[in-house]
Amino acid sequence: MVRAEPALAGALATAAPAVDSRVLELAVASLDCAQRSTSAAAKRLAVIDYSLPSTQPRLWVFDLGTRTLLREEHVAHGRGSGDNHASRFSNEPGSLQSSLGLFRTAESYVGRNGYSLRLEGLEPGINDRAFERAIVMHGAPYVSDEAMRQLGRLGRSLGCPAVRPEIATELIDEIKGGQYLFAYYPDREFLAASSLLTCPAATAPLSDGGTYAGWSEAAAPSGLR
């Protein structure tokens, strides 16, 4: 089973230097906690950093076996979360907002948005209504260079992490069936309430001496300072 040893987060940071290393430490710590209740080791981890604007690539997919970066992509957020910059997140049906935290990927299917991927939210009160809200990964034409030229941002979803149609099928096939997706934003309530960031692994020291629980000013990702 993949564990949240510093070497894993460090290897992923080396593979994707554009990602905030502390966000990767959070993602790996959440993954470790989630995997303590299952015997199936994850092979892939996707990370979304919603603190970045939609006009920047902010979705990364990692192969945990080889500790390599598979892809870096743009991803849309929900209409209710903001314009180019997302700042509001919810677990509530009808909010049209994206959700944070760790998700386990389920099966793929073909629906009204084409080839799509169901997501199981693993964090009570944070994202565990994802199935009820039909929060899925899918391709969308508003995730495009043309949308950014016309709007100054990507188009927005109903809360789903939508990606470019050209790569949707390949991306979904890479992470479907029991892999993981971690969605981050420097929201103090989320960081304090996440059950996956308060287990023993999540209170281990960070690379710079802080801890996941009870962020110090020095240890917090830049968006929390």
Side-chain angles (χ1 to χ4, degrees):
M1 182 179 297
V2 175
R3 290 300 185 191
E5 75 275 15
L8 176 57
L12 300 187
T14 299
V19 191
D20 188 316
S21 61
R22 298 181 185 90
V23 173
L24 290 174
E25 289 175 316
L26 287 173
V28 171
S30 293
L31 173 66
D32 176 69
C33 287
Q35 289 197 117
R36 292 185 175 203
S37 61
T38 179
S39 60
K43 297 179 180 178
R44 302 280 167 79
L45 172 65
V47 176
I48 297 173
D49 185 352
Y50 283 125
S51 71
L52 299 175
S54 70
T55 48
Q56 289 186 26
R58 53 181 181 172
L59 165 64
W60 299 269
V61 179
F62 296 94
D63 184 303
L64 297 177
T66 60
R67 302 185 177 193
T68 56
L69 177 67
L70 296 179
R71 64 175 69 243
E72 178 182 71
E73 286 291 337
H74 288 88
V75 62
H77 55 253
R79 295 177 189 173
S81 287
D83 293 325
N84 188 29
H85 291 82
S87 60
R88 300 180 297 277
F89 301 89
S90 178
N91 194 35
E92 294 301 313
S95 67
L96 305 185
Q97 293 180 19
S98 298
S99 294
L100 301 175
L102 190 70
F103 300 80
R104 183 182 293 118
T105 65
E107 74 278 6
S108 59
Y109 69 100
V110 178
R112 64 179 183 179
N113 290 306
Y115 195 60
S116 304
L117 176 64
R118 300 188 197 280
L119 299 172
E120 175 191 2
L122 301 180
E123 309 219 37
I126 295 173
N127 64 18
D128 60 344
R129 302 183 77 175
F131 265 21
E132 177 186 352
R133 296 179 61 205
I135 300 300
V136 302
M137 179 172 281
H138 62 82
Y142 51 75
V143 182
S144 65
D145 291 340
E146 182 61 26
M148 287 189 280
R149 282 194 293 269
Q150 291 187 4
L151 303 172
R153 58 168 170 79
L154 294 183
R156 296 167 298 169
S157 69
L158 301 183
C160 298
V163 298
R164 291 189 295 132
E166 297 89 341
I167 55 88
T169 296
E170 291 182 2
L171 194 162
I172 287 170
D173 284 345
E174 287 171 354
I175 64 172
K176 69 181 181 181
Q179 305 310 307
Y180 291 86
L181 167 67
F182 180 76
Y184 168 81
Y185 183 80
D187 181 275
R188 292 182 183 276
E189 291 185 6
F190 156 62
L191 293 171
S194 171
S195 61
L196 297 179
L197 292 176
T198 55
C199 75
T203 56
L206 283 168
S207 59
D208 59 4
T211 60
Y212 298 110
W215 292 94
S216 68
E217 286 299 303
S222 58
L224 274 178
R225 295 178 188 168

